[in-house]
């Protein structure tokens, strides 16, 4: 079955520290992979996506993610976290069920200490 | 640049009441979706519409109905609300072309409480 696992429910980092959020997926073919961010009380904003080509993907707000097929992972990274990065982050994989549907992970809530 | 607009943003219902969540997108997307978000469970697909005139069930369709009114609009109806339907609801849309990479764009959410 197709699934997405985000092993860390909560992560706390200090401002300026580096960040890595983990995402593992189970998928029968070459997936499309996404990271979305949700600020409190807001909708989801696309950070970055991978669907072909270079396995290191650059996104908005200084984020990047690396697709590792051998590890079924798509981890999100940022070299230096800002207080405004505090939010919930969702990894997603698709398409699912033969069409443009995404399966989302449960999310990782990031807190940033000053 | 409106994107995906959903209304209402907040609603409190009594058990057994009905209501409709409205959604419209201005990006000329073929596909539209309704998700619900619950703590610790990520987003789960309720219904989706691959194109105008078609709708299909997602993971958690029970207790909901949808209408794809036209290419722009996709509404979600709760016929008899239950406390288990207390959630945040997100409407979304996507371009169905493969070149789009299945990117889905979300509305800002509707907070629904059923008491």
């Amino acid at each position: 079955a197709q699934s997405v696992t985000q092993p860390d429910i909560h992560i706390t980092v200090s401002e300026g520290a580096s960040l890595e959020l983990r995402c593992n997926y189970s998928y029968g073919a070459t997936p499309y992979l996404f990271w979305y961010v949700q600020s409190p009380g807001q909708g989801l904003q696309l950070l970055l996506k991978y669907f072909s080509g270079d396995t290191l993907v650059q996104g908005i707000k200084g984020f990047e993610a690396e697709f590792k097929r051998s590890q079924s992972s798509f981890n999100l990274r940022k070299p230096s976290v800002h207080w405004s990065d505090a939010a919930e982050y969702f990894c997603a994989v698709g398409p699912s069920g033969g069409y443009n549907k995404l399966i989302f992970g449960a999310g990782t809530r990031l807190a940033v200490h000053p | 640049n409106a994107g995906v607009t959903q209304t209402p943003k907040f609603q409190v219902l009594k058990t057994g009441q009905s209501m409709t969540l409205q959604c419209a997108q201005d990006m000329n997307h073929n596909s539209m979706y309704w998700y619900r978000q619950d703590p610790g469970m990520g987003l789960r697909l309720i219904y989706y519409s691959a194109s105008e005139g078609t709708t299909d069930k997602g993971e958690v369709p029970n207790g909901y109905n949808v209408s794809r009114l036209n290419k722009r609009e996709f509404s979600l109806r709760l016929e008899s609300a239950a406390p288990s339907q207390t959630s945040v609801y997100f409407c979304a849309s996507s371009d169905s072309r493969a070149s789009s990479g299945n990117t889905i764009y979300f509305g800002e959410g509707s907070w629904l409480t059923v008491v």
Side-chain angles (χ1 to χ4, degrees):
Chain A
Q2 298 158 347
S3 64
V4 177
T5 302
Q6 294 180 244
D8 305 303
I9 298 174
H10 295 278
I11 284 184
T12 301
V13 299
S14 298
E15 191 169 18
S18 63
L19 173 70
E20 182 169 28
L21 302 182
R22 296 182 291 165
C23 173
N24 294 98
Y25 66 88
S26 173
Y27 196 79
T30 300
Y32 294 168
L33 293 157
F34 304 81
W35 276 100
Y36 284 86
V37 60
Q38 184 182 30
S39 298
Q42 300 296 314
L44 279 74
Q45 181 183 21
L46 180 68
L47 279 177
L48 48 79
K49 64 183 179 183
Y50 168 81
F51 58 102
S52 66
D54 193 345
T55 56
L56 183 62
V57 181
Q58 302 297 321
I60 62 171
K61 304 184 180 186
F63 285 92
E64 67 177 26
E66 186 171 12
F67 170 52
K68 293 186 177 180
R69 185 188 303 274
S70 61
Q71 299 177 19
S72 298
S73 69
F74 189 57
N75 294 349
L76 182 71
R77 301 192 294 251
K78 186 170 185 178
S80 178
V81 170
H82 188 262
W83 64 267
S84 60
D85 293 324
E88 189 155 21
Y89 292 80
F90 293 93
C91 182
V93 64
S96 172
Y99 206 75
N100 286 12
K101 294 181 289 178
L102 296 185
I103 297 173
F104 284 83
T108 298
R109 185 168 295 279
L110 174 67
V112 180
H113 280 327
Chain B
N1 189 9
V4 179
T5 304
Q6 53 183 112
T7 57
K9 192 163 178 102
F10 300 98
Q11 184 72 50
V12 179
L13 286 177
K14 294 182 179 179
T15 297
Q17 286 185 319
S18 63
M19 78 158 296
T20 300
L21 299 176
Q22 306 286 353
C23 176
Q25 53 90 10
D26 62 2
M27 295 176 281
N28 201 35
H29 286 166
N30 288 322
S31 304
M32 298 186 73
Y33 315 80
W34 277 105
Y35 286 88
R36 61 178 287 173
Q37 182 183 26
D38 302 290
M41 303 189 74
L43 279 81
R44 293 180 293 168
L45 184 65
I46 304 171
Y47 270 93
Y48 70 103
S49 171
S51 60
E52 186 179 356
T54 68
T55 61
D56 286 284
K57 296 178 179 178
E59 299 174 68
V60 288
N62 291 344
Y64 305 95
N65 286 301
V66 290
S67 296
R68 184 73 184 268
L69 304 171
N70 47 55
K71 190 171 186 179
R72 290 186 64 248
E73 299 174 288
F74 188 41
S75 63
L76 178 72
R77 183 162 179 83
L78 286 69
E79 292 290 353
S80 178
S84 61
Q85 294 177 304
T86 294
S87 188
V88 184
Y89 292 85
F90 288 97
C91 179
S93 70
S94 71
D95 186 338
S96 58
R97 293 174 297 172
S99 59
S100 74
N102 290 74
T103 301
I104 293 183
Y105 298 88
F106 287 85
E108 293 193 341
S110 296
W111 276 253
L112 177 64
T113 300
V114 183
V115 298

